[in-house]
Amino acid sequence: MRIDEQPRTRWPDPSTFRNRRPDLRLGSRRHRIDPAAATDGRIAVQHTVRTATAEYTLLLNAPAWLGRRGVGEALRDSVAELRAIDLTYGPNRPESLVSRLRRGEISPDSYPPLADLVDRCTAMRAATDGWFDAWAVPGGFDPGGLLGGWAVERAAERLRAAGIHDYAVLTGADLVVRGHAPHGGPWRVAVHHPTAPERAPLVLEMTAGAVGTSGVTGRQGHVVDPHTGEPADQLVAATVVGPNLTIADAYATALYAAGPTGLSWFRGNSDYRALFAHRR
C-alpha cells in the first residue's frame, strides 16, 4: 500500500523542533513555505495559482525518472483540475453545476463528480449530527464548507496518477501532504494559533494527512448555524487534522457552527482530531 493511503501524523516535542525550520506554516503572517533543495537528485517544484475564489500553492518533490517535462505536465494537469472545479462547481457562478442543481435543472446523477460531491455532503451531515448541512443555507444546496478541500484532494489525485507521491498542497489555512519533503524527511508543519499568533505554534510531522480550518478568513457570518439559520457565533476558529482534507474541512466547518458540542465527534477511534476550537 502506498504511503499516500496511510495517515501518518506525529506531534513531536516542541523543544526538539525549535532548531528545525518548518517546511510549512499555517495561520501565520510570516512566510509559510521554506524552499528547500531536493535530495538524491529529485525534482523540487513550487507553484502558486490563483482562481476566482482561492489561491493554491503546490510543492512537489518529484522522482528524477519523471523528468522536468513529466513534472510540468503533472503540475499543469493538477492546476487545470483546480481551475475546472472553480468554474464548474462554484455556487456563486450562475452557470455552474451547483447553481443548476439548485435551480432544479439537473440532478446529482447527471455528472459523476457532482454525485460524489453531493454524497460527501450527505455523509458529513450524518457524521456531524446535522451541524454540517449543505442544504440548510440561503438559496439551497451549497457545498462551500468542503468544496475547497474536495478541490485540493482531486488535484492531489492528479499528481499521484502522474507518479508524484511526495507533495504538499495549500490553500488559505488548509493543507494536504503526502510522502516526504524535499529535504528527505517528513513534512514539518507549524500550525499557529488562529487568534494568538504570538504563541508558539503546534508542530506536526506528517507523511500523509490534512489540516482543515474554518473561521480565520476574517469574514463574519460565513458559516450558518443549520438549526437556526443564523450566523454561527460561538467560536473564533476551528482547526481539524486527519487523513483527508475534504472531511477535515467539513468537520472544521461543522465544529465552527456547533461550538464545544462538536468536540464529541473526535473521541474514541476517530481518525480526526480537533487542534483548535476557541470561543469568542
Side-chain angles (χ1 to χ4, degrees):
M1 185 173 291
R2 291 188 182 278
I3 195 168
D4 60 85
E5 298 170 333
Q6 295 280 350
R8 294 283 187 272
T9 301
R10 190 172 75 89
W11 284 260
D13 182 347
S15 63
T16 65
F17 192 84
R18 188 170 301 153
N19 296 322
R20 301 170 64 188
R21 181 178 293 180
D23 305 302
L24 312 167
R25 292 183 182 272
L26 293 180
S28 171
R29 294 182 179 179
R30 290 174 288 173
H31 296 299
R32 63 184 181 185
I33 299 169
D34 177 35
T39 59
D40 299 327
R42 296 175 69 85
I43 302 171
V45 176
Q46 176 179 325
H47 181 77
T48 297
V49 57
R50 293 179 181 176
T51 68
T53 58
E55 179 178 294
Y56 302 90
T57 297
L58 299 89
L59 294 93
L60 314 183
N61 180 27
W65 62 261
L66 197 57
R68 293 195 173 274
R69 175 174 293 182
V71 173
E73 291 174 352
L75 182 61
R76 285 192 294 272
D77 197 26
S78 184
V79 167
E81 182 71 10
L82 293 171
R83 292 192 182 279
I85 290 174
D86 180 67
L87 290 171
T88 309
Y89 298 94
N92 295 325
R93 293 183 178 275
E95 297 307 315
S96 74
L97 295 182
V98 169
S99 295
R100 294 178 62 193
L101 179 65
R102 294 169 75 169
R103 294 193 298 265
E105 298 173 3
I106 59 174
S107 70
D109 296 332
S110 301
Y111 301 89
L114 179 62
D116 177 62
L117 183 62
V118 172
D119 287 347
R120 288 174 181 271
C121 289
T122 301
M124 291 311 300
R125 181 169 58 181
T128 61
D129 305 314
W131 283 101
F132 179 94
D133 192 341
W135 291 266
V137 293
F141 178 68
D142 185 341
L146 58 70
L147 185 61
W150 186 70
V152 168
E153 290 288 357
R154 288 182 62 87
E157 288 176 7
R158 296 297 187 96
L159 295 176
R160 295 194 296 273
I164 299 175
H165 297 276
D166 301 271
Y167 59 82
V169 185
L170 301 87
T171 178
D174 300 346
L175 92 165
V176 62
V177 302
R178 295 292 188 277
H180 293 84
H183 53 67
W187 294 93
R188 299 191 291 257
V189 182
V191 185
H192 289 259
H193 191 286
T195 60
E198 71 280 0
R199 293 188 186 181
L202 177 65
V203 295
L204 309 174
E205 289 188 342
M206 307 177 74
T207 54
V211 179
T213 301
S214 182
V216 298
T217 62
R219 293 180 295 157
Q220 295 297 316
H222 71 292
V223 175
V224 174
D225 181 333
H227 303 295
T228 66
E230 300 295 325
D233 60 2
Q234 292 195 65
L235 299 183
V236 176
T239 301
V240 174
V241 62
N244 183 282
L245 184 55
T246 308
I247 298 173
D249 211 5
Y251 266 131
T253 301
L255 181 59
Y256 184 87
T261 300
L263 294 175
S264 62
W265 305 325
F266 309 104
R267 296 170 185 160
N269 296 323
S270 174
D271 290 330
Y272 294 82
R273 174 174 172 176
L275 297 185
F276 297 117
H278 293 281
R279 295 178 182 270
R280 291 195 179 277

